[in-house]
Amino acid sequence: RKRVAILISGGGSNMLRLVEDMTDADHPAVPVLVLSNDANAAGLARAASLGIPTAVVDHRAFADRPAFEAGLQAQLQQAAPDIVALAGFMRILTAPFTEQWAGRMLNIHPSLLPKYRGLHTHARALEAGDDEAGCSVHEVTADLDGGPILGQARVPILPDDTADTLAARVLVQEHRLYPAVLRRFACGDRRRLDLSPDGNLS
Ligand code: GAR
């Protein structure tokens, strides 16, 4: 089975969904490490309680981004993952780091890329008057949120939506999309996967 390291910064709900999916004996991958840049990330304790090895590489303990990334790389090399899955990992990664994992690193982003790379995606979709939003799983390259798209799921934007209500609706889809894409990716299948709002193939 392919070895998967998951990088988080917060609650880790996407990480938990990936881990839960990988408990299936037929799954092509297995979680070998959950790594956070923040020792207080709630997802760390959740992963540990499921028996998954965890590690912290605190970006504030390093002089600069390359030094932080060397710390990340050292932890990753110990765990020897085949695939690195970013799941709410809120640090920008430089080209030398992403190139080490080219074709092996995934990210989930809460927008319908190429729209709204970066932060505050839901507020920006509302501000633009969009009638739909969603999430994307993509390969990570040095181009922030710009790597090849592996899958998307869409949701309607409703008249009374706030950034928070929209984020919650998108997160439900993130929890469906990311495990589905990871399964395919772990089998070497990079064809794009599009999910309809009910979670079915569209
Ligand atoms: C998710 O909505 C994810 O798409 C987003 O952060 C949230 C993490 O939630 N990621 C980004 O914004 C990446 N720039 P989680 O910790 O519960 O999975």
Side-chain angles (χ1 to χ4, degrees):
R1 300 216 268 166
K2 292 282 195 286
R3 299 167 63 83
V4 179
I6 307 172
L7 272 55
I8 65 170
S9 296
S13 71
N14 277 291
M15 174 275 295
L16 288 171
R17 284 289 299 121
L18 296 177
V19 165
E20 180 181 59
D21 201 45
M22 285 186 272
T23 60
D24 178 352
D26 294 332
H27 200 288
V30 59
V32 295
L33 178 68
V34 170
L35 194 165
S36 175
N37 64 299
D38 179 354
N40 295 317
L44 277 177
R46 295 184 177 137
S49 74
L50 295 170
I52 305 191
T54 62
V56 176
V57 180
D58 185 343
H59 59 281
R60 292 164 299 190
F62 296 88
D64 55 22
R65 216 176 276 279
F68 165 60
E69 290 173 341
L72 287 179
Q73 186 68 5
Q75 288 290 339
L76 288 173
Q77 277 171 343
Q78 271 187 37
D82 301 296
I83 298 168
V84 177
L86 309 184
F89 185 68
M90 304 305 280
R91 305 301 304 170
I92 289 173
L93 298 168
T94 70
F97 183 79
T98 60
E99 281 160 12
Q100 290 169 325
W101 296 98
R104 297 184 290 161
M105 184 179 282
L106 310 183
N107 180 45
I108 186 152
H109 182 75
S111 79
L112 295 173
L113 291 171
K115 280 189 163 186
Y116 315 128
R117 299 179 185 193
L119 299 176
H120 310 301
T121 54
H122 306 300
R124 289 156 67 198
L126 292 174
E127 175 69 21
D130 292 355
D131 58 12
E132 64 172 2
C135 52
S136 307
V137 176
H138 63 93
E139 285 185 44
V140 176
T141 65
D143 189 16
L144 180 69
D145 301 325
I149 294 170
L150 295 166
Q152 290 190 325
R154 319 175 94 80
V155 300
I157 291 180
L158 304 180
D160 293 336
D161 266 334
T162 64
D164 286 346
T165 61
L166 180 55
R169 191 174 310 116
V170 171
L171 190 63
V172 171
Q173 296 299 321
E174 294 185 40
H175 293 165
R176 291 174 168 147
L177 180 69
Y178 209 175
V181 171
L182 179 65
R183 266 187 191 253
R184 291 160 65 109
F185 192 81
C187 294
D189 181 355
R190 288 162 198 233
R191 284 174 304 167
R192 181 177 166 131
L193 177 68
D194 285 287
L195 298 184
S196 67
D198 62 11
N200 295 322
L201 290 173
S202 60

